[in-house]
Amino acid sequence: MFIAKFEGGWFWSATIRNIFKLYHGIDVGYGTYGGAFDTTKIAGGTVFGNYCSIAPNVYVFNGNHPLAFFSQHPIFYNPKIGFVNEEQIPRTKLIIGHDVWIGANAIILPSVSRIGNGAVIGAGTVVTRDVKPYEVVAGNPARHIRYRFAPIVIDRIEKSLWWFLTKDELQKATPSLCKLTHENEIRSFE
């Protein structure tokens, strides 16, 4: 969009974020970029934290076709089509934490309500359950691969609350923040 260009791009544009929240029901955090802005693939009710990296073709679904209805066609359950006045199936909401990386072609099903801070979802993964903070998952269905850091390091990162910094503040704080993962890191924590 033309607006983003004048506000520092898609990473930083407050106007673009307001438009997506108001007209599409998608809440995109500061610094988050990529597939988070694809209204054809991200369901309304999705909340992205700050500084998330969302690859192309990530799908977030917030409802399933009704298996018990005589027909599974959306004309019978989705008011946007104009045949029914109210939503006829339950819709879910997904909260994605800060600094989450979701790889290309990942699919997040309606059974997922939360993806924790710092989580990684591998490319092509089908996520069927919540993902814990700093957990790395991949596969179909998603399976636990490992955690990104030892618990002591995760605790340090969480306490830093770095994702609430503006890009200028973050630039100044980066040298000290990088030390959070390098000082006394414990590698054998699995």
Side-chain angles (χ1 to χ4, degrees), residues 6-85:
F6 290 101
E7 293 183 347
W10 288 85
F11 287 85
W12 320 117
S13 174
T15 304
I16 294 297
R17 282 162 173 72
N18 288 334
I19 290 169
F20 269 74
K21 189 171 186 176
L22 181 64
Y23 294 102
H24 303 290
I26 302 169
D27 193 344
V28 181
Y30 182 81
T32 293
Y33 69 98
F37 292 102
D38 189 339
T39 60
T40 65
K41 296 179 177 86
I42 305 298
T46 302
V47 176
F48 290 92
N50 297 335
Y51 296 104
C52 292
S53 301
I54 311 301
N57 297 316
V58 168
Y59 286 85
V60 174
F61 295 108
N62 69 355
N64 287 310
H65 290 264
L67 300 179
F69 283 29
F70 78 95
S71 172
Q72 297 176 76
H73 194 278
I75 194 170
F76 298 107
Y77 63 84
N78 189 333
K80 290 181 182 176
I81 296 176
F83 190 73
V84 295
N85 293 328

Side-chain angles (χ1 to χ4, degrees), residues 95-101 114-120 130-135 158:
I95 297 173
I96 299 170
H98 305 291
D99 189 35
V100 171
W101 172 23
R114 180 170 283 284
I115 297 171
N117 290 341
V120 175
D130 288 2
V131 179
K132 295 177 182 170
Y134 302 91
E135 184 178 17
E158 286 291 298

Side-chain angles (χ1 to χ4, degrees), residues 45-189:
T46 302
V47 176
F48 290 92
N50 297 335
Y51 296 104
C52 292
S53 301
I54 311 301
N57 297 316
V58 168
Y59 286 85
V60 174
F61 295 108
N62 69 355
N64 287 310
H65 290 264
L67 300 179
F69 283 29
F70 78 95
S71 172
Q72 297 176 76
H73 194 278
I75 194 170
F76 298 107
Y77 63 84
N78 189 333
K80 290 181 182 176
I81 296 176
F83 190 73
V84 295
N85 293 328
E86 297 178 355
E87 188 70 62
Q88 301 296 308
I89 62 170
R91 296 285 180 181
T92 60
K93 298 195 181 302
L94 173 64
I95 297 173
I96 299 170
H98 305 291
D99 189 35
V100 171
W101 172 23
I102 304 177
N105 303 310
I107 298 171
I108 302 168
L109 297 179
S111 55
V112 181
S113 61
R114 180 170 283 284
I115 297 171
N117 290 341
V120 175
I121 297 172
T125 296
V126 178
V127 184
T128 59
R129 61 164 181 82
D130 288 2
V131 179
K132 295 177 182 170
Y134 302 91
E135 184 178 17
V136 178
V137 299
N140 180 6
R143 64 180 174 79
H144 172 83
I145 304 298
R146 66 183 180 95
Y147 287 97
R148 291 178 54 206
F149 304 110
I152 192 170
V153 175
I154 291 171
D155 187 54
R156 280 189 232 149
I157 294 169
E158 286 291 298
K159 286 179 180 173
S160 77
L161 301 174
W162 71 265
W163 41 80
F164 293 121
L165 300 176
T166 66
K167 67 178 178 175
D168 295 331
E169 293 167 336
L170 187 55
Q171 186 173 17
K172 292 174 189 168
T174 295
S176 62
L177 290 170
C178 287
K179 292 178 184 177
L180 295 173
T181 59
H182 297 301
E183 291 178 5
N184 305 317
E185 185 170 357
I186 302 166
R187 285 281 177 200
S188 58
F189 58 88

